[in-house]
Amino acid sequence: MTIDHTWWKEATIYQIWPASYKDSNGDGIGDIPGAISTLDYLKDLGIDIIWLSPMYKSPMEDMGYDISDYQDINPDFGTLQDMQDLIDGCHKRGMKIICDLVINHTSDQHAWFKESRSSLDNPKRDWYIWKKPRYDADGNRQPPNNWSSYFSGSAWTYDETTDEYYLRLFANGQPDLNWENEECRQAIYDSALKFWFERGVDGFRIDTAGLYSKDQSFADAPIVFKDQYYQPSSKLTHNGPRIHEFHKEMFKKVTSNYDVMTVGEVGRCTRDEALKYVSAARNEMNMIFLFDAIEVGCNPDDKFRYQGWKLTDFKDAIRNQSDFIKGTDAWSTVFIENHDQPRCVTRLGNAKKFHDKSGKLLATLQTTLTGTLFIYQGQEIGMTNLPRSWSIDEYKDINTINYYKAFKEKFGNDKDFEEKEAKLLDVINLMARDHARSPVQWSDAKYGGFSTVEPWMRVNDNYDKINVESQLNDPDSLLKFYQKVLKLRKEYKDLFIYGSFEILDYENEKVFTYVKELPDAKHPNAYVALNMSDDQVDFKPLIEGKFKLVACNADSDEFDEKVLTPWEARVYILE
């Protein structure tokens, strides 16, 4: 086996969500200087690349994913010079930095959109997607079709200035760019990509990378949810007819001219469709996020219609993720948290009874899987979901707020509303995006050491028990365990990062056992056993060989070779 050793394949990438990471100036909002102050901490953790979520100028309707100027910084986060200092600070430490590339839409405050909406004949009118209203049988004005926004309600907003609707698949203030317009595409390449490559950015995480090409018929979407008028439009907006043409053009005109990496957020699609984005020979993107594991148990069209999962479901998801590149020239990703997802120790572990141990198990899983590894801020200390006792009023995310508002409008007068509401709040408490967005807990000081003043979002109540400072001083902490297994991943990088993956106990609903292999007999293989249950189970290796234990999350006084304690994880090297 010939391994194509590449820096972005072997890197561990750490995502920083600026508003909630670290506040340096006491205004309650995280910022770029705050991020700079932690670079040595991240280097010691074992991080190779920083991924900085949107820091661009923005009215912040969707936490910076509504960009009003690609070439400037949101004043809450700092200045262009601060951003340059962060880029340079990473490079001085032998680290790299990637940013978010948000080019499916802009803010409605972007100069391009202000021009576009000003008149029907403005030169930039066609840079966005405008359609005339429909009228129902009673003569009432209606949106052009039945597409739903990802944030509830219609995907269209009416604009009185020109008596037309603009498409915005997300928030009101996030009009979709019209990628059919070549002049618009070129402006995107110059403003959003080249500008930052020339300043030293080492790549991009590409937001909503499967949405740029819409079916130009703009027909009604098929009925998925019979209990609502507006319907998911993915069949007409996701993986559209020209999407690969656009990515090839972006690669040819821009990214191929720099030594950079790209990772796309494409969302759910078939393996064959996904491979079109990341086959090396196709020259589109280096890799995409595969959502199988992170969305286990979810309805793909509505995560708040949560279905639950069994361990075999999770094994399927990890196998799909690991087998994605088998027999291809593509590459994959490994992640279990990000800014849009709940905390993994709550959702996939047991945060109440086995917090540290299940967190270490999930760390073991992630660091032994094939692909480029992504870690989200606070994951390394096992930050948890927000308390169920908190009111819905504590939630800040537009997705959750809109969903709850629509739910209340629909069911608010029902006799059993309180019962229905409690069930929804249970799901929100498990799945909402805000769980990842509460401020990072740096110490047990007031506000978790995130800020000296009350932050923009409430700090999780458990900051006094779960924080960076206490774990740095505890050799048995989850943070120290992350340092250890990240070093192990690099020590055996051919095996863990590039090796094949095979599940040995698929039907077992408590234990997850797999081997990592390289076909060359000169190399050792790895045997990983994870007890993902609250029960003690018997342990006997499912294959023969000479086993060397290289990682385990059990305390020395409870370790028993023949037993796996609850949430125990072991990694053996077979020599």
Side-chain angles (χ1 to χ4, degrees):
M1 177 183 179
T2 302
I3 293 176
D4 176 22
H5 290 283
T6 307
W7 60 268
W8 46 264
K9 290 182 178 180
E10 297 173 7
T12 297
I13 302 176
Y14 187 95
Q15 182 186 358
I16 289 177
W17 178 256
S20 299
Y21 186 61
K22 197 164 189 2
D23 173 21
S24 73
N25 61 358
D27 65 355
I29 302 169
D31 46 47
I32 294 170
I36 293 171
S37 72
T38 71
L39 288 179
D40 289 333
Y41 160 76
L42 295 175
K43 180 74 174 176
D44 290 343
L45 177 60
I47 302 305
D48 305 296
I49 301 174
I50 305 301
W51 157 19
L52 186 67
S53 291
M55 72 295 173
Y56 311 96
K57 196 167 186 181
S58 166
M60 300 294 282
E61 184 177 0
D62 185 25
M63 293 305 299
Y65 283 93
D66 48 324
I67 296 170
S68 57
D69 188 342
Y70 288 108
Q71 299 180 9
D72 203 358
I73 303 298
N74 181 0
D76 287 337
F77 298 154
T79 64
L80 266 176
Q81 185 56 54
D82 290 332
M83 185 61 196
Q84 193 62 54
D85 291 344
L86 177 60
I87 295 168
D88 295 342
C90 288
H91 292 165
K92 284 175 188 172
R93 291 166 175 81
M95 302 162 73
K96 295 181 184 288
I97 181 170
I98 64 172
C99 296
D100 248 283
L101 185 63
V102 188
I103 49 180
N104 174 69
H105 46 262
T106 66
S107 165
D108 62 359
Q109 300 304 304
H110 196 292
W112 298 346
F113 187 73
K114 288 181 178 180
E115 285 192 54
S116 182
R117 82 189 311 176
S118 65
S119 68
L120 290 168
D121 58 358
N122 185 278
K124 287 189 173 63
R125 181 66 173 184
D126 194 41
W127 284 32
Y128 294 83
I129 299 169
W130 294 92
K131 298 293 173 188
K132 295 186 181 306
R134 287 200 298 200
Y135 290 89
D136 63 22
D138 298 322
N140 298 311
R141 188 186 68 237
Q142 301 292 343
N145 60 32
N146 70 344
W147 295 1
S148 63
S149 161
Y150 284 95
F151 295 160
S152 302
S154 174
W156 298 88
T157 294
Y158 179 67
D159 193 60
E160 289 186 354
T161 307
T162 55
D163 187 33
E164 287 192 347
Y165 285 83
Y166 63 83
L167 180 68
R168 46 89 185 172
L169 291 176
F170 295 90
N172 254 330
Q174 287 175 295
D176 281 46
L177 288 155
N178 180 18
W179 276 69
E180 300 290 321
N181 185 304
E182 185 177 359
E183 187 181 3
C184 174
R185 295 200 305 273
Q186 190 57 54
I188 291 168
Y189 302 154
D190 291 341
S191 182
L193 283 92
K194 287 182 182 177
F195 178 82
W196 289 104
F197 284 148
E198 292 299 325
R199 294 184 81 96
V201 165
D202 299 293
F204 287 106
R205 174 265 187 184
I206 306 180
D207 185 62
T208 62
L211 291 181
Y212 312 148
S213 173
K214 279 76 171 177
D215 185 315
Q216 293 300 294
S217 72
F218 291 94
D220 277 346
I223 306 300
V224 175
F225 300 126
K226 293 180 180 179
D227 60 346
Q228 62 190 47
Y229 175 74
Y230 297 112
Q231 299 295 323
S233 66
S234 57
K235 284 186 168 30
L236 297 154
T237 56
H238 192 230
N239 304 320
R242 298 184 67 188
I243 191 68
H244 298 292
E245 175 191 340
F246 295 152
H247 278 293
K248 286 176 188 294
E249 180 182 82
M250 186 158 56
F251 176 85
K252 182 178 180 182
K253 288 191 171 184
V254 191
T255 53
S256 63
N257 298 316
Y258 303 89
D259 180 22
V260 294
M261 62 160 278
T262 52
V263 53
E265 180 201 34
V266 171
R268 290 195 179 217
C269 53
T270 66
R271 181 173 185 263
D272 288 345
E273 186 64 49
L275 286 169
K276 292 177 184 176
Y277 287 99
V278 291
S279 165
R282 289 177 60 89
N283 293 328
E284 295 191 25
M285 294 182 285
N286 297 133
M287 51 190 154
I288 61 173
F289 291 115
L290 300 171
F291 284 80
D292 301 72
I294 213 163
E295 291 187 346
V296 67
C298 295
N299 183 311
D301 294 308
D302 182 350
K303 71 178 179 181
F304 293 126
R305 297 180 189 236
Y306 185 68
Q307 299 156 336
W309 58 279
K310 307 188 300 292
L311 185 54
T312 46
D313 299 329
F314 188 65
K315 289 177 182 180
D316 284 336
I318 297 296
R319 180 164 56 193
N320 290 344
Q321 175 183 300
S322 298
D323 286 355
F324 173 68
I325 61 175
K326 190 177 284 185
T328 76
D329 63 349
W331 192 244
S332 187
T333 52
V334 181
F335 73 109
I336 207 165
E337 281 190 20
N338 66 24
H339 61 288
D340 285 335
Q341 305 295 335
R343 291 294 184 172
C344 67
V345 72
T346 299
R347 174 139 140 70
L348 302 171
N350 183 335
K352 292 179 179 176
K353 194 173 180 183
F354 297 101
H355 174 273
D356 285 12
K357 207 167 172 192
S358 62
K360 290 174 182 179
L361 179 145
L362 292 169
T364 304
L365 170 73
Q366 293 291 282
T367 52
T368 54
L369 293 178
T370 304
T372 299
L373 176 60
F374 291 77
I375 294 173
Y376 181 71
Q377 63 183 40
Q379 181 180 337
E380 75 276 17
I381 58 168
M383 283 183 62
T384 66
N385 279 9
L386 306 174
R388 175 63 174 86
S389 59
W390 283 16
S391 160
I392 187 68
D393 297 331
E394 296 285 0
Y395 288 78
K396 307 289 188 184
D397 175 42
I398 186 171
N399 184 24
T400 302
I401 292 168
N402 284 0
Y403 195 96
Y404 178 79
K405 184 180 176 183
F407 172 85
K408 197 169 183 179
E409 288 174 359
K410 189 172 182 179
F411 300 110
N413 294 322
D414 291 4
K415 290 181 180 178
D416 60 348
F417 173 70
E418 287 188 5
E419 184 182 333
K420 289 177 179 175
E421 181 189 41
K423 287 180 179 178
L424 175 61
L425 291 176
D426 284 344
V427 176
I428 285 173
N429 184 244
L430 183 66
M431 297 303 302
R433 303 199 299 181
D434 275 319
H435 300 302
R437 301 178 180 190
S438 65
V440 171
Q441 297 156 208
W442 292 99
S443 73
D444 62 3
K446 194 173 184 181
Y447 309 125
F450 164 77
S451 179
T452 55
V453 301
E454 186 173 348
W456 72 277
M457 182 181 181
R458 183 173 165 184
V459 179
N460 198 318
D461 297 347
N462 60 19
Y463 70 85
D464 59 332
K465 301 177 185 67
I466 300 172
N467 60 73
V468 171
E469 187 176 77
S470 65
Q471 294 196 24
L472 279 172
N473 296 321
D474 178 3
D476 295 323
S477 68
L478 178 54
L479 174 59
K480 289 293 186 181
F481 189 83
Y482 260 99
Q483 289 179 336
K484 177 181 177 180
V485 290
L486 285 173
K487 284 180 183 173
L488 191 69
R489 181 173 174 82
K490 285 187 169 63
E491 182 182 349
Y492 295 98
K493 68 179 180 182
D494 286 2
L495 185 57
F496 292 135
I497 298 174
Y498 297 97
S500 66
F501 168 91
E502 182 186 356
I503 297 174
L504 298 182
D505 59 352
Y506 175 78
E507 300 295 338
N508 194 321
E509 290 289 2
K510 292 184 177 181
V511 180
F512 188 177
T513 307
Y514 55 91
V515 288
K516 296 297 300 289
E517 295 181 309
L518 287 169
D520 187 342
K522 296 177 183 175
H523 293 280
N525 293 326
Y527 182 96
V528 182
L530 311 171
N531 179 10
M532 295 183 70
S533 79
D534 295 347
D535 302 320
Q536 182 170 294
V537 296
D538 293 337
F539 174 71
K540 182 181 179 182
L542 300 176
I543 57 174
E544 294 183 357
K546 186 179 178 184
F547 288 77
K548 174 188 173 187
L549 186 66
V550 293
C552 180
N553 66 346
D555 294 335
S556 56
D557 59 349
E558 68 173 351
F559 181 81
D560 182 338
E561 281 190 0
K562 296 180 181 180
V563 168
L564 289 174
T565 53
W567 294 96
E568 183 171 339
R570 296 183 193 176
V571 181
Y572 292 97
I573 296 296
L574 278 75
E575 297 178 329

